[in-house]
């Protein structure tokens, strides 16, 4: 099967602790409903979900020559991913994150400086080669986080994907260890076909308010005005807000039992790209993304 989507970004091992009870017996001990190891990171999540939906997905990331890195590579191989773009780099540590999930499905996380991935730069030549070989979508799955948090590098990669003829998708993050903003990507923003910030990220990108004061229409217009072709703002339990030059619309979330929201946004993007590969229109792609996200939140971990 030809690789259809190349997902570029982070690979992370998540240690997920769910349902913490703080010192239930007064003995200085804390217990949890469950503690599990799962693979995570936006590029991994998207590629795993795409594979489960029947597509050949390629993973482009860096891991260390360590136990966590072998976990990533072995699981990616087991799930049938194209791992030719996975770099095993001596001297870096594979990022590991602590995830704390409440019984209502909400979560918080702790990451370390390992997520900087020092010295790793994704190859523009590799992107060009894979698009020539049949990749239709290049997904920048963790834009504003390493390895996609250095403006000159990111601009070069987006330009390469666009000029090679791929559809360019960008799922965004809030910067952590390096600083980058939307203005840093000014020259290549019109080369982004679809961007997928959540509400907090859209506020960061546009300088607007989130929460009760959020105006998704103005946020979307601000991103469209910078040249981005389609905007999809992930609005959590409300669903999503989408916009293009043809108009704006909202798609409500589906009401399902929520176990864990980890990776819900990545699942939404993967479901969107699945529909995009099948030739569906913008609204139908958004609806497909909502369905995939709804499936994911009913299970522990970012992917099933």
């Amino acid at each position: 099967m030809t690789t259809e989507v190349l997902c570029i970004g982070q690979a992370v091992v998540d240690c997920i602790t769910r349902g913490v009870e703080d010192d239930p017996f007064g003995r200085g001990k804390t217990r949890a409903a469950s503690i599990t190891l799962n693979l995570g990171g936006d590029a991994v999540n998207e590629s795993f979900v795409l594979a489960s939906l029947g597509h050949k997905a390629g993973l482009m990331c860096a891991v260390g020559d360590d136990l966590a890195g072998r976990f990533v590579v072995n699981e990616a191989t087991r799930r049938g991913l194209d791992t030719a773009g996975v770099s095993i780099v001596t001297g870096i540590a594979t990022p590991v994150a602590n995830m704390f999930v409440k019984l209502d499905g909400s979560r918080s996380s702790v990451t370390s400086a390992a997520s900087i991935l020092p010295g790793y730069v994704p190859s523009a030549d590799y992107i060009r080669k894979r698009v020539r070989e049949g990749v239709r979508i290049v997904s920048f799955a963790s834009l504003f986080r390493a390895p996609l948090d250095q403006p000159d590098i990111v601009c070069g990669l987006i330009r390469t994907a666009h000029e090679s003829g791929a559809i360019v998708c960008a799922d965004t993050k809030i910067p952590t260890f390096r600083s980058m903003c939307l203005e840093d990507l000014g020259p290549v923003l019109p080369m982004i076909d679809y961007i997928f910030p959540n509400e907090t990220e859209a506020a960061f990108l546009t300088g607007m308010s989130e929460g009760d004061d959020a105006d998704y229409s103005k946020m979307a217009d601000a991103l469209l005005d910078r040249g981005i072709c389609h905007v999809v703002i992930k609005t959590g339990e409300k669903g999503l807000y989408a916009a293009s030059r043809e108009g704006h619309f909202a798609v409500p979330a589906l009401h399902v039992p929520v176990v864990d929201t980890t990776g819900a946004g990545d699942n939404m993007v993967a479901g969107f790209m699945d529909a995009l590969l099948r030739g569906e229109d913008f609204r139908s792609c958004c609806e497909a993304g909502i369905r995939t996200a709804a499936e994911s939140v009913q299970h522990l971990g970012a992917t099933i």
Side-chain angles (χ1 to χ4, degrees), residues 64-100:
D65 186 13
D66 52 20
L67 181 62
R70 289 189 285 277
F71 181 26
V72 172
V73 174
N74 290 343
E75 186 64 8
T77 301
R78 185 184 73 82
R79 297 199 187 201
L81 265 60
D82 176 351
T83 59
V86 178
S87 298
I88 301 172
V89 183
T90 301
I92 72 169
T94 305
V96 177
N98 286 328
M99 308 290 295
F100 301 95

Side-chain angles (χ1 to χ4, degrees), residues 42 46 140-145 169-175 182 185 192 194-198 200-202 204-205 223 228 232 234 266 269:
D42 304 79
E46 288 184 12
F140 294 89
S142 50
L143 191 61
F144 297 97
R145 291 266 180 94
C169 292
D171 196 5
T172 63
K173 304 290 282 186
I174 298 292
L182 192 68
L185 304 182
I192 297 176
Y194 300 92
I195 195 167
F196 301 92
N198 64 26
T200 299
E201 293 155 0
F204 163 74
L205 294 174
L223 296 171
I228 297 170
V232 179
K234 296 171 285 189
D266 301 329
V269 174

Side-chain angles (χ1 to χ4, degrees), residues 141-157:
S142 50
L143 191 61
F144 297 97
R145 291 266 180 94
L148 302 175
D149 61 349
Q150 298 178 74
D152 290 346
I153 292 170
V154 176
C155 285
L157 297 175

Side-chain angles (χ1 to χ4, degrees), residues 18-21 33 101-106 258-260:
R18 182 171 185 268
V20 173
E21 295 180 74
V101 180
K102 296 180 180 179
L103 292 178
D104 66 0
S106 61
V258 177
V259 174
D260 180 11

